[in-house]
PDB file of all heavy atoms in Angstrom:
ATOM      1  N   MET A  29      69.454   8.390  12.897  1.00 98.00           N
ATOM      2  CA  MET A  29      70.406   7.345  12.517  1.00 98.00           C
ATOM      3  C   MET A  29      70.484   6.224  13.546  1.00 98.00           C
ATOM      4  O   MET A  29      70.922   5.122  13.229  1.00 98.00           O
ATOM      5  CB  MET A  29      71.793   7.939  12.286  1.00 98.00           C
ATOM      6  CG  MET A  29      71.936   8.715  10.987  1.00 98.00           C
ATOM      7  SD  MET A  29      71.600   7.743   9.495  1.00 98.00           S
ATOM      8  CE  MET A  29      72.987   6.611   9.521  1.00 98.00           C
ATOM      9  N   ASP A  30      70.046   6.460  14.771  1.00 98.00           N
ATOM     10  CA  ASP A  30      70.031   5.384  15.762  1.00 98.00           C
ATOM     11  C   ASP A  30      69.080   4.259  15.337  1.00 98.00           C
ATOM     12  O   ASP A  30      69.334   3.078  15.613  1.00 98.00           O
ATOM     13  CB  ASP A  30      69.623   5.917  17.133  1.00 98.00           C
ATOM     14  CG  ASP A  30      70.761   6.642  17.842  1.00 98.00           C
ATOM     15  OD1 ASP A  30      71.906   6.555  17.364  1.00 98.00           O
ATOM     16  OD2 ASP A  30      70.496   7.304  18.866  1.00 98.00           O
ATOM     17  N   TYR A  31      67.995   4.605  14.658  1.00 98.00           N
ATOM     18  CA  TYR A  31      67.035   3.600  14.203  1.00 98.00           C
ATOM     19  C   TYR A  31      67.613   2.798  13.032  1.00 98.00           C
ATOM     20  O   TYR A  31      67.352   1.603  12.893  1.00 98.00           O
ATOM     21  CB  TYR A  31      65.720   4.282  13.814  1.00 98.00           C
ATOM     22  CG  TYR A  31      65.096   4.998  14.984  1.00 98.00           C
ATOM     23  CD1 TYR A  31      65.470   6.305  15.301  1.00 98.00           C
ATOM     24  CD2 TYR A  31      64.188   4.361  15.820  1.00 98.00           C
ATOM     25  CE1 TYR A  31      64.951   6.956  16.413  1.00 98.00           C
ATOM     26  CE2 TYR A  31      63.650   5.006  16.932  1.00 98.00           C
ATOM     27  CZ  TYR A  31      64.047   6.298  17.220  1.00 98.00           C
ATOM     28  OH  TYR A  31      63.529   6.934  18.320  1.00 98.00           O
ATOM     29  N   VAL A  32      68.430   3.467  12.219  1.00 98.00           N
ATOM     30  CA  VAL A  32      69.128   2.785  11.130  1.00 98.00           C
ATOM     31  C   VAL A  32      70.157   1.817  11.708  1.00 98.00           C
ATOM     32  O   VAL A  32      70.288   0.677  11.256  1.00 98.00           O
ATOM     33  CB  VAL A  32      69.800   3.812  10.190  1.00 98.00           C
ATOM     34  CG1 VAL A  32      70.507   3.115   9.033  1.00 98.00           C
ATOM     35  CG2 VAL A  32      68.773   4.816   9.657  1.00 98.00           C
ATOM     36  N   ARG A  33      70.877   2.270  12.733  1.00 98.00           N
ATOM     37  CA  ARG A  33      71.867   1.405  13.393  1.00 98.00           C
ATOM     38  C   ARG A  33      71.188   0.209  14.073  1.00 98.00           C
ATOM     39  O   ARG A  33      71.745  -0.884  14.108  1.00 98.00           O
ATOM     40  CB  ARG A  33      72.664   2.217  14.418  1.00 98.00           C
ATOM     41  CG  ARG A  33      73.513   3.331  13.804  1.00 98.00           C
ATOM     42  CD  ARG A  33      74.274   4.115  14.866  1.00 98.00           C
ATOM     43  NE  ARG A  33      75.020   5.209  14.273  1.00 98.00           N
ATOM     44  CZ  ARG A  33      74.718   6.496  14.407  1.00 98.00           C
ATOM     45  NH1 ARG A  33      73.700   6.862  15.164  1.00 98.00           N
ATOM     46  NH2 ARG A  33      75.445   7.429  13.821  1.00 98.00           N
ATOM     47  N   ASP A  34      69.986   0.436  14.625  1.00 98.00           N
ATOM     48  CA  ASP A  34      69.240  -0.672  15.233  1.00 98.00           C
ATOM     49  C   ASP A  34      68.936  -1.751  14.200  1.00 98.00           C
ATOM     50  O   ASP A  34      69.097  -2.949  14.473  1.00 98.00           O
ATOM     51  CB  ASP A  34      67.918  -0.168  15.825  1.00 98.00           C
ATOM     52  CG  ASP A  34      68.098   0.612  17.120  1.00 98.00           C
ATOM     53  OD1 ASP A  34      69.139   0.432  17.788  1.00 98.00           O
ATOM     54  OD2 ASP A  34      67.200   1.399  17.452  1.00 98.00           O
ATOM     55  N   LEU A  35      68.492  -1.335  13.027  1.00 98.00           N
ATOM     56  CA  LEU A  35      68.188  -2.300  11.967  1.00 98.00           C
ATOM     57  C   LEU A  35      69.438  -3.063  11.558  1.00 98.00           C
ATOM     58  O   LEU A  35      69.416  -4.296  11.410  1.00 98.00           O
ATOM     59  CB  LEU A  35      67.582  -1.577  10.758  1.00 98.00           C
ATOM     60  CG  LEU A  35      67.350  -2.427   9.503  1.00 98.00           C
ATOM     61  CD1 LEU A  35      66.474  -3.644   9.799  1.00 98.00           C
ATOM     62  CD2 LEU A  35      66.742  -1.584   8.386  1.00 98.00           C
ATOM     63  N   ASP A  36      70.545  -2.352  11.392  1.00 98.00           N
ATOM     64  CA  ASP A  36      71.798  -3.017  11.022  1.00 98.00           C
ATOM     65  C   ASP A  36      72.222  -4.007  12.110  1.00 98.00           C
ATOM     66  O   ASP A  36      72.663  -5.118  11.810  1.00 98.00           O
ATOM     67  CB  ASP A  36      72.887  -1.972  10.791  1.00 98.00           C
ATOM     68  CG  ASP A  36      74.139  -2.558  10.170  1.00 98.00           C
ATOM     69  OD1 ASP A  36      74.055  -3.053   9.030  1.00 98.00           O
ATOM     70  OD2 ASP A  36      75.200  -2.539  10.824  1.00 98.00           O
ATOM     71  N   SER A  37      72.060  -3.605  13.365  1.00 98.00           N
ATOM     72  CA  SER A  37      72.408  -4.494  14.484  1.00 98.00           C
ATOM     73  C   SER A  37      71.523  -5.740  14.486  1.00 98.00           C
ATOM     74  O   SER A  37      71.994  -6.850  14.771  1.00 98.00           O
ATOM     75  CB  SER A  37      72.246  -3.753  15.818  1.00 98.00           C
ATOM     76  OG  SER A  37      73.106  -2.648  15.897  1.00 98.00           O
ATOM     77  N   PHE A  38      70.247  -5.568  14.174  1.00 98.00           N
ATOM     78  CA  PHE A  38      69.318  -6.698  14.163  1.00 98.00           C
ATOM     79  C   PHE A  38      69.675  -7.699  13.071  1.00 98.00           C
ATOM     80  O   PHE A  38      69.632  -8.918  13.284  1.00 98.00           O
ATOM     81  CB  PHE A  38      67.888  -6.195  13.977  1.00 98.00           C
ATOM     82  CG  PHE A  38      66.841  -7.271  14.097  1.00 98.00           C
ATOM     83  CD1 PHE A  38      66.729  -8.012  15.265  1.00 98.00           C
ATOM     84  CD2 PHE A  38      65.975  -7.544  13.055  1.00 98.00           C
ATOM     85  CE1 PHE A  38      65.772  -9.017  15.391  1.00 98.00           C
ATOM     86  CE2 PHE A  38      65.014  -8.530  13.161  1.00 98.00           C
ATOM     87  CZ  PHE A  38      64.902  -9.272  14.329  1.00 98.00           C
ATOM     88  N   VAL A  39      70.060  -7.187  11.902  1.00 98.00           N
ATOM     89  CA  VAL A  39      70.457  -8.079  10.804  1.00 98.00           C
ATOM     90  C   VAL A  39      71.690  -8.883  11.192  1.00 98.00           C
ATOM     91  O   VAL A  39      71.777 -10.092  10.929  1.00 98.00           O
ATOM     92  CB  VAL A  39      70.700  -7.269   9.508  1.00 98.00           C
ATOM     93  CG1 VAL A  39      71.347  -8.138   8.436  1.00 98.00           C
ATOM     94  CG2 VAL A  39      69.387  -6.684   8.993  1.00 98.00           C
ATOM     95  N   HIS A  40      72.642  -8.235  11.853  1.00 98.00           N
ATOM     96  CA  HIS A  40      73.829  -8.962  12.327  1.00 98.00           C
ATOM     97  C   HIS A  40      73.438  -9.982  13.410  1.00 98.00           C
ATOM     98  O   HIS A  40      73.989 -11.087  13.451  1.00 98.00           O
ATOM     99  CB  HIS A  40      74.874  -7.988  12.870  1.00 98.00           C
ATOM    100  CG  HIS A  40      75.642  -7.271  11.802  1.00 98.00           C
ATOM    101  ND1 HIS A  40      76.656  -7.869  11.084  1.00 98.00           N
ATOM    102  CD2 HIS A  40      75.550  -6.008  11.322  1.00 98.00           C
ATOM    103  CE1 HIS A  40      77.154  -7.017  10.210  1.00 98.00           C
ATOM    104  NE2 HIS A  40      76.499  -5.879  10.323  1.00 98.00           N
ATOM    105  N   TYR A  41      72.480  -9.607  14.247  1.00 98.00           N
ATOM    106  CA  TYR A  41      72.043 -10.495  15.325  1.00 98.00           C
ATOM    107  C   TYR A  41      71.411 -11.773  14.763  1.00 98.00           C
ATOM    108  O   TYR A  41      71.778 -12.885  15.179  1.00 98.00           O
ATOM    109  CB  TYR A  41      71.048  -9.771  16.230  1.00 98.00           C
ATOM    110  CG  TYR A  41      70.438 -10.666  17.292  1.00 98.00           C
ATOM    111  CD1 TYR A  41      71.151 -11.000  18.434  1.00 98.00           C
ATOM    112  CD2 TYR A  41      69.151 -11.197  17.126  1.00 98.00           C
ATOM    113  CE1 TYR A  41      70.605 -11.836  19.400  1.00 98.00           C
ATOM    114  CE2 TYR A  41      68.595 -12.033  18.091  1.00 98.00           C
ATOM    115  CZ  TYR A  41      69.327 -12.353  19.224  1.00 98.00           C
ATOM    116  OH  TYR A  41      68.794 -13.188  20.166  1.00 98.00           O
ATOM    117  N   ILE A  42      70.468 -11.641  13.831  1.00 98.00           N
ATOM    118  CA  ILE A  42      69.829 -12.854  13.308  1.00 98.00           C
ATOM    119  C   ILE A  42      70.799 -13.653  12.435  1.00 98.00           C
ATOM    120  O   ILE A  42      70.634 -14.864  12.263  1.00 98.00           O
ATOM    121  CB  ILE A  42      68.513 -12.548  12.549  1.00 98.00           C
ATOM    122  CG1 ILE A  42      68.761 -11.723  11.292  1.00 98.00           C
ATOM    123  CG2 ILE A  42      67.513 -11.864  13.467  1.00 98.00           C
ATOM    124  CD1 ILE A  42      67.499 -11.536  10.445  1.00 98.00           C
ATOM    125  N   GLY A  43      71.822 -12.968  11.927  1.00 97.00           N
ATOM    126  CA  GLY A  43      72.867 -13.697  11.215  1.00 97.00           C
ATOM    127  C   GLY A  43      73.635 -14.612  12.146  1.00 97.00           C
ATOM    128  O   GLY A  43      73.939 -15.760  11.811  1.00 97.00           O
ATOM    129  N   ARG A  44      73.939 -14.110  13.351  1.00 97.00           N
ATOM    130  CA  ARG A  44      74.676 -14.902  14.341  1.00 97.00           C
ATOM    131  C   ARG A  44      73.786 -15.961  14.987  1.00 97.00           C
ATOM    132  O   ARG A  44      74.177 -17.122  15.099  1.00 97.00           O
ATOM    133  CB  ARG A  44      75.236 -13.993  15.448  1.00 97.00           C
ATOM    134  CG  ARG A  44      76.332 -13.060  15.033  1.00 97.00           C
ATOM    135  CD  ARG A  44      76.974 -12.414  16.252  1.00 97.00           C
ATOM    136  NE  ARG A  44      76.012 -11.772  17.146  1.00 97.00           N
ATOM    137  CZ  ARG A  44      75.612 -10.513  17.044  1.00 97.00           C
ATOM    138  NH1 ARG A  44      76.088  -9.753  16.076  1.00 97.00           N
ATOM    139  NH2 ARG A  44      74.747 -10.005  17.916  1.00 97.00           N
ATOM    140  N   GLU A  45      72.606 -15.553  15.438  1.00 97.00           N
ATOM    141  CA  GLU A  45      71.762 -16.427  16.249  1.00 97.00           C
ATOM    142  C   GLU A  45      70.912 -17.399  15.424  1.00 97.00           C
ATOM    143  O   GLU A  45      70.600 -18.498  15.887  1.00 97.00           O
ATOM    144  CB  GLU A  45      70.839 -15.581  17.132  1.00 97.00           C
ATOM    145  CG  GLU A  45      71.580 -14.718  18.144  1.00 97.00           C
ATOM    146  CD  GLU A  45      72.374 -15.544  19.138  1.00 97.00           C
ATOM    147  OE1 GLU A  45      71.835 -16.556  19.638  1.00 97.00           O
ATOM    148  OE2 GLU A  45      73.536 -15.177  19.425  1.00 97.00           O
ATOM    149  N   TYR A  46      70.529 -16.998  14.224  1.00 97.00           N
ATOM    150  CA  TYR A  46      69.650 -17.832  13.407  1.00 97.00           C
ATOM    151  C   TYR A  46      70.297 -18.265  12.092  1.00 97.00           C
ATOM    152  O   TYR A  46      69.654 -18.910  11.259  1.00 97.00           O
ATOM    153  CB  TYR A  46      68.339 -17.083  13.116  1.00 97.00           C
ATOM    154  CG  TYR A  46      67.501 -16.850  14.348  1.00 97.00           C
ATOM    155  CD1 TYR A  46      67.682 -15.713  15.136  1.00 97.00           C
ATOM    156  CD2 TYR A  46      66.540 -17.779  14.744  1.00 97.00           C
ATOM    157  CE1 TYR A  46      66.920 -15.501  16.278  1.00 97.00           C
ATOM    158  CE2 TYR A  46      65.771 -17.568  15.885  1.00 97.00           C
ATOM    159  CZ  TYR A  46      65.968 -16.432  16.647  1.00 97.00           C
ATOM    160  OH  TYR A  46      65.204 -16.234  17.774  1.00 97.00           O
ATOM    161  N   LEU A  47      71.569 -17.879  11.914  1.00 97.00           N
ATOM    162  CA  LEU A  47      72.336 -18.249  10.713  1.00 97.00           C
ATOM    163  C   LEU A  47      71.631 -17.819   9.434  1.00 97.00           C
ATOM    164  O   LEU A  47      71.608 -18.542   8.433  1.00 97.00           O
ATOM    165  CB  LEU A  47      72.598 -19.760  10.696  1.00 97.00           C
ATOM    166  CG  LEU A  47      73.336 -20.322  11.929  1.00 97.00           C
ATOM    167  CD1 LEU A  47      73.529 -21.822  11.796  1.00 97.00           C
ATOM    168  CD2 LEU A  47      74.675 -19.618  12.139  1.00 97.00           C
ATOM    169  N   VAL A  48      71.057 -16.632   9.469  1.00 97.00           N
ATOM    170  CA  VAL A  48      70.392 -16.064   8.286  1.00 97.00           C
ATOM    171  C   VAL A  48      71.388 -15.175   7.556  1.00 97.00           C
ATOM    172  O   VAL A  48      71.853 -14.175   8.092  1.00 97.00           O
ATOM    173  CB  VAL A  48      69.145 -15.250   8.680  1.00 97.00           C
ATOM    174  CG1 VAL A  48      68.516 -14.619   7.430  1.00 97.00           C
ATOM    175  CG2 VAL A  48      68.132 -16.129   9.399  1.00 97.00           C
ATOM    176  N   ASP A  49      71.707 -15.536   6.325  1.00 96.00           N
ATOM    177  CA  ASP A  49      72.624 -14.745   5.501  1.00 96.00           C
ATOM    178  C   ASP A  49      71.890 -13.522   4.966  1.00 96.00           C
ATOM    179  O   ASP A  49      70.718 -13.616   4.581  1.00 96.00           O
ATOM    180  CB  ASP A  49      73.144 -15.597   4.339  1.00 96.00           C
ATOM    181  CG  ASP A  49      74.349 -14.971   3.660  1.00 96.00           C
ATOM    182  OD1 ASP A  49      74.203 -13.855   3.124  1.00 96.00           O
ATOM    183  OD2 ASP A  49      75.423 -15.594   3.645  1.00 96.00           O
ATOM    184  N   SER A  50      72.571 -12.393   4.907  1.00 95.00           N
ATOM    185  CA  SER A  50      71.907 -11.159   4.472  1.00 95.00           C
ATOM    186  C   SER A  50      71.322 -11.277   3.065  1.00 95.00           C
ATOM    187  O   SER A  50      70.278 -10.694   2.772  1.00 95.00           O
ATOM    188  CB  SER A  50      72.887  -9.975   4.529  1.00 95.00           C
ATOM    189  OG  SER A  50      73.960 -10.166   3.634  1.00 95.00           O
ATOM    190  N   LYS A  51      71.957 -12.057   2.201  1.00 95.00           N
ATOM    191  CA  LYS A  51      71.437 -12.203   0.825  1.00 95.00           C
ATOM    192  C   LYS A  51      70.103 -12.930   0.789  1.00 95.00           C
ATOM    193  O   LYS A  51      69.387 -12.886  -0.225  1.00 95.00           O
ATOM    194  CB  LYS A  51      72.460 -12.905  -0.061  1.00 95.00           C
ATOM    195  CG  LYS A  51      72.725 -14.346   0.288  1.00 95.00           C
ATOM    196  CD  LYS A  51      73.736 -14.988  -0.648  1.00 95.00           C
ATOM    197  CE  LYS A  51      74.106 -16.392  -0.219  1.00 95.00           C
ATOM    198  NZ  LYS A  51      72.971 -17.302  -0.019  1.00 95.00           N
ATOM    199  N   ASP A  52      69.747 -13.580   1.886  1.00 97.00           N
ATOM    200  CA  ASP A  52      68.473 -14.295   1.978  1.00 97.00           C
ATOM    201  C   ASP A  52      67.415 -13.494   2.729  1.00 97.00           C
ATOM    202  O   ASP A  52      66.384 -14.038   3.124  1.00 97.00           O
ATOM    203  CB  ASP A  52      68.684 -15.646   2.681  1.00 97.00           C
ATOM    204  CG  ASP A  52      69.588 -16.569   1.890  1.00 97.00           C
ATOM    205  OD1 ASP A  52      69.517 -16.546   0.657  1.00 97.00           O
ATOM    206  OD2 ASP A  52      70.383 -17.295   2.514  1.00 97.00           O
ATOM    207  N   ILE A  53      67.673 -12.194   2.905  1.00 98.00           N
ATOM    208  CA  ILE A  53      66.745 -11.337   3.639  1.00 98.00           C
ATOM    209  C   ILE A  53      66.059 -10.357   2.694  1.00 98.00           C
ATOM    210  O   ILE A  53      66.710  -9.712   1.858  1.00 98.00           O
ATOM    211  CB  ILE A  53      67.477 -10.544   4.739  1.00 98.00           C
ATOM    212  CG1 ILE A  53      68.012 -11.480   5.826  1.00 98.00           C
ATOM    213  CG2 ILE A  53      66.564  -9.483   5.362  1.00 98.00           C
ATOM    214  CD1 ILE A  53      68.879 -10.789   6.857  1.00 98.00           C
ATOM    215  N   PHE A  54      64.741 -10.236   2.822  1.00 98.00           N
ATOM    216  CA  PHE A  54      63.966  -9.200   2.141  1.00 98.00           C
ATOM    217  C   PHE A  54      63.294  -8.386   3.236  1.00 98.00           C
ATOM    218  O   PHE A  54      62.739  -8.944   4.178  1.00 98.00           O
ATOM    219  CB  PHE A  54      62.915  -9.826   1.216  1.00 98.00           C
ATOM    220  CG  PHE A  54      62.238  -8.831   0.308  1.00 98.00           C
ATOM    221  CD1 PHE A  54      62.671  -8.650  -0.993  1.00 98.00           C
ATOM    222  CD2 PHE A  54      61.163  -8.065   0.763  1.00 98.00           C
ATOM    223  CE1 PHE A  54      62.061  -7.721  -1.822  1.00 98.00           C
ATOM    224  CE2 PHE A  54      60.548  -7.140  -0.060  1.00 98.00           C
ATOM    225  CZ  PHE A  54      60.991  -6.972  -1.366  1.00 98.00           C
ATOM    226  N   VAL A  55      63.363  -7.043   3.127  1.00 98.00           N
ATOM    227  CA  VAL A  55      62.859  -6.175   4.193  1.00 98.00           C
ATOM    228  C   VAL A  55      61.607  -5.425   3.731  1.00 98.00           C
ATOM    229  O   VAL A  55      61.579  -4.856   2.645  1.00 98.00           O
ATOM    230  CB  VAL A  55      63.928  -5.160   4.645  1.00 98.00           C
ATOM    231  CG1 VAL A  55      63.449  -4.394   5.874  1.00 98.00           C
ATOM    232  CG2 VAL A  55      65.257  -5.852   4.947  1.00 98.00           C
ATOM    233  N   ILE A  56      60.595  -5.432   4.592  1.00 98.00           N
ATOM    234  CA  ILE A  56      59.324  -4.747   4.335  1.00 98.00           C
ATOM    235  C   ILE A  56      59.124  -3.702   5.420  1.00 98.00           C
ATOM    236  O   ILE A  56      59.261  -4.004   6.610  1.00 98.00           O
ATOM    237  CB  ILE A  56      58.148  -5.746   4.338  1.00 98.00           C
ATOM    238  CG1 ILE A  56      58.362  -6.831   3.270  1.00 98.00           C
ATOM    239  CG2 ILE A  56      56.819  -5.027   4.113  1.00 98.00           C
ATOM    240  CD1 ILE A  56      57.410  -8.006   3.407  1.00 98.00           C
ATOM    241  N   ALA A  57      58.788  -2.462   5.027  1.00 98.00           N
ATOM    242  CA  ALA A  57      58.669  -1.407   6.037  1.00 98.00           C
ATOM    243  C   ALA A  57      57.600  -0.400   5.645  1.00 98.00           C
ATOM    244  O   ALA A  57      57.501  -0.011   4.480  1.00 98.00           O
ATOM    245  CB  ALA A  57      60.009  -0.698   6.211  1.00 98.00           C
ATOM    246  N   ASN A  58      56.842   0.026   6.632  1.00 97.00           N
ATOM    247  CA  ASN A  58      55.741   0.965   6.428  1.00 97.00           C
ATOM    248  C   ASN A  58      56.082   2.342   7.022  1.00 97.00           C
ATOM    249  O   ASN A  58      56.631   2.431   8.116  1.00 97.00           O
ATOM    250  CB  ASN A  58      54.489   0.384   7.096  1.00 97.00           C
ATOM    251  CG  ASN A  58      53.217   1.205   6.858  1.00 97.00           C
ATOM    252  OD1 ASN A  58      52.244   1.044   7.567  1.00 97.00           O
ATOM    253  ND2 ASN A  58      53.201   2.073   5.865  1.00 97.00           N
ATOM    254  N   SER A  59      55.783   3.399   6.273  1.00 97.00           N
ATOM    255  CA  SER A  59      55.828   4.781   6.752  1.00 97.00           C
ATOM    256  C   SER A  59      57.233   5.220   7.169  1.00 97.00           C
ATOM    257  O   SER A  59      58.169   5.154   6.381  1.00 97.00           O
ATOM    258  CB  SER A  59      54.830   4.959   7.898  1.00 97.00           C
ATOM    259  OG  SER A  59      54.693   6.323   8.234  1.00 97.00           O
ATOM    260  N   ILE A  60      57.395   5.649   8.437  1.00 96.00           N
ATOM    261  CA  ILE A  60      58.696   6.106   8.916  1.00 96.00           C
ATOM    262  C   ILE A  60      59.740   5.005   8.794  1.00 96.00           C
ATOM    263  O   ILE A  60      60.897   5.261   8.450  1.00 96.00           O
ATOM    264  CB  ILE A  60      58.574   6.592  10.378  1.00 96.00           C
ATOM    265  CG1 ILE A  60      57.831   7.926  10.428  1.00 96.00           C
ATOM    266  CG2 ILE A  60      59.942   6.723  11.035  1.00 96.00           C
ATOM    267  CD1 ILE A  60      57.524   8.421  11.826  1.00 96.00           C
ATOM    268  N   ALA A  61      59.319   3.766   9.052  1.00 98.00           N
ATOM    269  CA  ALA A  61      60.253   2.639   8.924  1.00 98.00           C
ATOM    270  C   ALA A  61      60.758   2.507   7.494  1.00 98.00           C
ATOM    271  O   ALA A  61      61.878   2.024   7.262  1.00 98.00           O
ATOM    272  CB  ALA A  61      59.579   1.345   9.372  1.00 98.00           C
ATOM    273  N   GLY A  62      59.956   2.955   6.505  1.00 98.00           N
ATOM    274  CA  GLY A  62      60.413   2.938   5.117  1.00 98.00           C
ATOM    275  C   GLY A  62      61.597   3.850   4.892  1.00 98.00           C
ATOM    276  O   GLY A  62      62.487   3.555   4.081  1.00 98.00           O
ATOM    277  N   VAL A  63      61.639   4.965   5.606  1.00 98.00           N
ATOM    278  CA  VAL A  63      62.787   5.880   5.518  1.00 98.00           C
ATOM    279  C   VAL A  63      63.995   5.251   6.197  1.00 98.00           C
ATOM    280  O   VAL A  63      65.124   5.355   5.712  1.00 98.00           O
ATOM    281  CB  VAL A  63      62.454   7.250   6.146  1.00 98.00           C
ATOM    282  CG1 VAL A  63      63.586   8.249   5.872  1.00 98.00           C
ATOM    283  CG2 VAL A  63      61.140   7.796   5.613  1.00 98.00           C
ATOM    284  N   VAL A  64      63.767   4.575   7.317  1.00 98.00           N
ATOM    285  CA  VAL A  64      64.848   3.878   8.023  1.00 98.00           C
ATOM    286  C   VAL A  64      65.495   2.847   7.109  1.00 98.00           C
ATOM    287  O   VAL A  64      66.728   2.793   6.976  1.00 98.00           O
ATOM    288  CB  VAL A  64      64.311   3.199   9.304  1.00 98.00           C
ATOM    289  CG1 VAL A  64      65.379   2.294   9.919  1.00 98.00           C
ATOM    290  CG2 VAL A  64      63.858   4.242  10.316  1.00 98.00           C
TER     291      VAL A  64
END
């Protein structure tokens, strides 16, 4: 779950620093990252 929390933290980070709204995000992940 720490890796899941990292992803959530990153989304909040780019929301603050780059003004990226979550609705404008599409996530691509391979293998273990797909489970995350």
Side-chain angles (χ1 to χ4, degrees):
M29 285 301 292
D30 282 349
Y31 299 86
V32 181
R33 296 179 183 109
D34 286 338
L35 174 56
D36 190 63
S37 298
F38 186 59
V39 170
H40 283 283
Y41 174 78
I42 65 174
R44 291 191 307 271
E45 297 298 316
Y46 294 88
L47 303 180
V48 177
D49 195 298
S50 63
K51 67 179 174 54
D52 296 324
I53 294 173
F54 190 97
V55 187
I56 301 168
N58 185 197
S59 189
I60 288 174
V63 188
V64 171

